Amino acid sequence: VSVDTVLKDGDRLVLEDGLVLNIMHTPGHSSGSISLYLEKDGALVTGDVLPLPGDLPLYDDIGESASSVKILQRLPNIDTLFSSWEKPIQGNARIQERMQQSLQLLRTVHETVCANIDADENDMQLCKKVVSALSLPPLAVNPIMAKAFASSRKYCHQDLF
């Protein structure tokens, strides 16, 4: 795939007169994730940045994921949220509540991982314990979830939240 434009954090993408998207690097779910903010209309497109409560919490790095959600929480005047896993959400208070739910989910997962770490186990063994502790479905014991949970190892002695 050829790339027309490389987008970076802080870039402003002018789509047409008066229609400008602010680009925010919001890694966590994946290292190259971005969010798009149409400030004029208070519209925020987050893609996969916000983990959905009740669903599998997929991310590459829990520290980056938490940091990205906090960045989004500081945006002024978000009237409509477009994320990958749910219908659009309208109203700043509802959007802020939804972002807080994502942070709480990440906190719960992180605290559960840190409480269950055994230095002698591999990532899949840790994953199995965390899936059980969080009452996630057995199919969550897989290499993708194991990688996500293992990302907490380096943050267990830091305050992410």
Side-chain angles (χ1 to χ4, degrees):
V1 175
S2 65
V3 176
D4 293 331
T5 305
V6 175
L7 301 174
K8 302 181 305 295
D9 186 57
D11 282 353
R12 295 171 51 84
L13 185 61
V14 179
L15 302 176
E16 60 184 58
D17 193 35
L19 188 58
V20 179
L21 290 173
N22 296 308
I23 310 301
M24 294 169 291
H25 183 223
T26 50
H29 175 76
S30 61
S31 62
S33 292
I34 63 169
S35 293
L36 308 170
Y37 182 46
L38 182 59
E39 189 171 4
K40 175 184 161 207
D41 294 325
L44 177 63
V45 179
T46 62
D48 293 324
V49 172
L50 299 174
L52 183 64
D55 204 351
L56 296 179
L58 294 173
Y59 48 84
D60 279 344
D61 186 286
I62 195 160
E64 289 180 348
S65 191
S67 178
S68 290
V69 174
K70 290 177 188 178
I71 287 167
L72 296 176
Q73 286 181 308
R74 291 191 294 268
L75 290 172
N77 307 320
I78 306 170
D79 296 319
T80 308
L81 172 68
F82 300 95
S83 66
S84 291
W85 307 111
E86 59 199 317
K87 293 179 181 178
I89 299 172
Q90 293 191 302
N92 190 271
R94 289 184 64 216
I95 293 166
Q96 290 298 327
E97 178 183 333
R98 175 61 183 83
M99 289 184 191
Q100 193 58 41
Q101 291 169 346
S102 288
L103 270 183
Q104 183 56 50
L105 173 60
L106 291 170
R107 177 192 318 246
T108 298
V109 170
H110 178 65
E111 289 173 352
T112 303
V113 170
C114 293
N116 282 282
I117 286 179
D118 181 345
D120 296 332
E121 68 192 353
N122 64 38
D123 291 349
M124 285 301 289
Q125 291 166 323
L126 173 63
C127 181
K128 189 172 185 175
K129 288 184 351 188
V130 172
V131 163
S132 176
L134 292 173
S135 299
L136 294 173
L139 66 89
V141 179
N142 64 63
I144 296 170
M145 291 303 302
K147 178 183 176 190
F149 295 154
S151 75
S152 281
R153 289 182 190 268
K154 64 184 173 187
Y155 298 108
C156 281
H157 301 291
Q158 299 178 31
D159 183 19
L160 296 179
F161 303 94

